[in-house]
Amino acid sequence: MYGMDDPDEQVRFTMTLTDGEIALTCDEDGCRLRVGDEIVAMPTKAVKVVDTSGAGDSFNGAYLAARLKGQSAQESAKAGLAMAAKVVAQPGAIIPRA
């Protein structure tokens, strides 16, 4: 993003563009989260990746749902990472009901 490889650098640059919340997913490295003026690295659970389809959408959906329920940005990122980990461990981005 922005011609930069380092996620912390990407978030720092994005922070110059907005005062808003920033959550940048980083594949198996979890995500970087803007908390005030700090960048917090949020690790993810290691899973066997079967299919990456839907990983970003599932992170975003769980993150936003948690924020709308009043959870902190960090708790919301944990929810988003947990959901994305479940989704990528299944084929076709569909989690079994059971």
Side-chain angles (χ1 to χ4, degrees), residues 71-93:
Q71 293 185 8
S72 71
Q74 288 160 307
E75 287 301 314
S76 298
K78 288 179 187 177
L81 290 168
M83 181 59 71
K86 289 179 186 177
V87 167
V88 300
Q90 303 296 324

Side-chain angles (χ1 to χ4, degrees), residues 11-28:
V11 173
R12 277 192 294 279
F13 178 76
T14 305
M15 289 169 69
T16 68
L17 304 175
T18 182
D19 290 330
E21 199 162 297
I22 301 169
L24 175 69
T25 56
C26 305
D27 298 326
E28 68 275 357

Side-chain angles (χ1 to χ4, degrees), residues 11-56:
V11 173
R12 277 192 294 279
F13 178 76
T14 305
M15 289 169 69
T16 68
L17 304 175
T18 182
D19 290 330
E21 199 162 297
I22 301 169
L24 175 69
T25 56
C26 305
D27 298 326
E28 68 275 357
D29 290 331
C31 75
R32 298 298 190 277
L33 185 65
R34 174 194 193 154
V35 178
D37 290 331
E38 295 182 33
I39 300 171
V40 178
M42 303 289 298
T44 192
K45 175 182 165 186
V47 297
K48 180 181 178 206
V49 176
V50 174
D51 186 346
T52 60
S53 300

